[in-house]
């Protein structure tokens, strides 16, 4: 029973997690511009001339619930002390995502899309994921 209540608490804490203020708080670190709310659980930003990033909050979906695209290549990784998944070709051949576990049934996804380079997108997603991880509820 402790696990159920712990994950309920973790989910509840992520319900109040707002993605745009988090991106705004790390904007100067990466030169993020045009930070715009897509909806209350998603925020978009421009990372560089050729890369955009997006932060999505999933208060009721864990890492096991991640739904990859048909061409996605997924590998297990860690961001800080948290379990995560690196998803290459998340939506397109030049997009990358890092799904970071917050609780058993909650996560945030940091997705990056580059004009041409998968490596550029994955580098941006990984860097932003590390910065976002420090802002996540413990």
């Amino acid at each position: 029973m402790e696990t159920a209540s712990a994950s309920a608490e973790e989910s509840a804490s992520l319900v109040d997690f707002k993605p745009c203020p988090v991106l705004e708080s790390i904007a100067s670190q990466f030169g993020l511009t045009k930070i715009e709310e897509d909806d209350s659980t998603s925020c978009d930003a421009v990372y560089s001339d050729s890369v955009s990033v997006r932060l999505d909050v999933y208060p009721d979906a864990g890492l096991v619930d991640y739904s990859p695209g048909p061409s996605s290549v997924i590998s297990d990784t860690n961001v800080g002390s948290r379990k995560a998944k690196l998803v290459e070709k998340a939506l397109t051949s030049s997009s990358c995502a890092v799904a970071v576990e917050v609780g058993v049934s909650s996560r945030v996804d940091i997705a990056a899309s580059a004009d041409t380079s998968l490596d550029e997108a994955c580098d941006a997603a990984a860097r932003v994921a590390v910065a976002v991880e420090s802002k996540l509820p413990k």
Side-chain angles (χ1 to χ4, degrees):
M1 291 290 177
E2 287 180 27
T3 307
S5 66
S7 63
E9 288 170 19
E10 289 163 354
S11 292
S13 64
L14 202 51
V15 169
D16 296 328
F17 185 81
K18 303 294 181 223
C20 282
V22 170
L23 288 184
E24 288 164 1
S25 74
I26 62 171
S28 63
Q29 187 177 345
F30 300 106
L32 298 179
T33 60
K34 297 183 183 171
I35 298 169
E36 296 176 2
E37 184 176 289
D38 188 39
D39 60 39
S40 63
T41 60
S42 300
C43 190
D44 299 307
V46 173
Y47 182 87
S48 69
D49 288 342
S50 59
V51 179
S52 60
V53 294
R54 179 180 179 101
L55 175 57
D56 291 303
V57 179
Y58 295 95
D60 300 314
L63 283 182
V64 297
D65 301 309
Y66 187 89
S67 192
S71 306
S72 296
V73 178
I74 301 176
S75 52
D76 291 327
T77 188
N78 289 302
V79 176
S81 61
R82 298 173 191 268
K83 292 180 187 175
K85 292 195 179 293
L86 174 65
V87 185
E88 296 178 75
K89 301 178 186 174
L91 296 172
T92 67
S93 61
S94 62
S95 67
C96 198
V98 179
V100 181
E101 183 176 80
V102 176
V104 174
S105 61
S106 60
R107 72 174 199 274
V108 297
D109 293 355
I110 298 88
S113 182
D115 289 344
T116 55
S117 165
L118 177 63
D119 289 340
E120 195 177 15
C122 288
D123 182 60
R127 288 173 182 258
V128 173
V130 168
V132 166
E133 188 275 337
S134 68
K135 312 282 185 187
L136 295 173
K138 299 289 184 206

